[in-house]
Amino acid sequence: MWELFLQAGPVVNTHMPKDRVTGHSVWGLVAGYGFVEFLSEEDADYAIKIMNMIKLYGKPIRVNKASAHNKNLDVGANIFIGNLDPEIDEKLLYDTFSAFGVILQTPKIMRDPDTGNSKGYAFINFASFDASDAAIEAMNGQYLCNRPITWSRSLSRGEAQGSGAAPCGCSLVTVGQAGP
């Protein structure tokens, strides 16, 4: 999916959910879908314009903006955590960072779509800037699983107000098969 959508603009990330039973990507099946994050909203709009209803593996795909209900959860108090040990999982991040305040969603560890292995970084979405500030202050220079973590804000306060952007300041589109 990365290679296909890269033709429309700079791709930040792709995510294709896996079938819970087989563990394989559900892409190509009737219920297949995925997500593509673009660097800008203009890139996402262009992808929708040129990629919607093209055929992939003989079936047309539908490309839309990600649903708005998820945007309402994003207040912009997001942090990027880098240099993560491959053994760190979502539960460890949640248990560690929830001490600083309410986390709105399960921490998102970015993973290789083929292997499922961690890419070494994650995003944590706090309910308030006070919580994200407390986490940054307390965890600056700290180690998780014998590795010093790095961090940054993934969306500034100014960008957060009314932007509706993805946590990294990107624009997210959904990709799925059109019709039966």
Side-chain angles (χ1 to χ4, degrees):
M1 207 163 52
W2 182 287
E3 291 84 6
L4 176 66
F5 283 88
L6 190 58
Q7 298 174 51
V11 172
V12 174
N13 190 30
T14 61
H15 175 68
M16 293 179 7
K18 303 220 183 263
D19 182 284
R20 292 176 189 235
V21 176
T22 67
H24 294 99
S25 171
V26 295
W27 191 253
L29 300 175
V30 173
Y33 65 97
F35 300 92
V36 179
E37 285 182 72
F38 285 94
L39 192 57
S40 71
E41 188 167 353
E42 292 79 20
D43 295 327
D45 291 339
Y46 183 66
I48 291 167
K49 184 176 180 180
I50 67 168
M51 298 291 191
N52 193 36
M53 300 307 287
I54 67 166
K55 287 191 175 185
L56 184 63
Y57 302 115
K59 295 182 180 181
I61 61 171
R62 181 167 308 278
V63 182
N64 300 311
K65 284 257 177 124
S67 61
H69 75 278
N70 288 334
K71 293 178 187 171
N72 295 335
L73 293 175
D74 185 9
V75 296
N78 305 300
I79 59 174
F80 165 90
I81 306 295
N83 197 34
L84 294 178
D85 185 278
E87 298 302 313
I88 292 177
D89 63 7
E90 289 81 355
K91 182 176 181 345
L92 178 63
L93 285 179
Y94 184 87
D95 291 347
T96 302
F97 285 90
S98 63
F100 305 106
V102 175
I103 295 176
L104 293 176
Q105 298 168 329
T106 303
K108 175 73 173 159
I109 295 176
M110 305 314 291
R111 298 187 179 279
D112 180 283
D114 296 326
T115 65
N117 294 336
S118 170
K119 291 183 178 181
Y121 63 98
F123 295 93
I124 300 175
N125 185 0
F126 285 98
S128 71
F129 283 106
D130 289 340
S132 65
D133 291 346
I136 288 168
E137 185 176 327
M139 296 302 289
N140 189 22
Q142 297 300 311
Y143 284 70
L144 277 180
C145 293
N146 297 319
R147 274 186 142 169
I149 59 169
T150 60
W151 62 267
S152 68
R153 290 194 185 281
S154 58
L155 192 62
S156 73
R157 289 177 194 251
E159 292 172 321
Q161 295 173 351
S163 74
C168 64
C170 312
S171 194
L172 188 65
V173 296
T174 57
V175 181
Q177 293 180 339

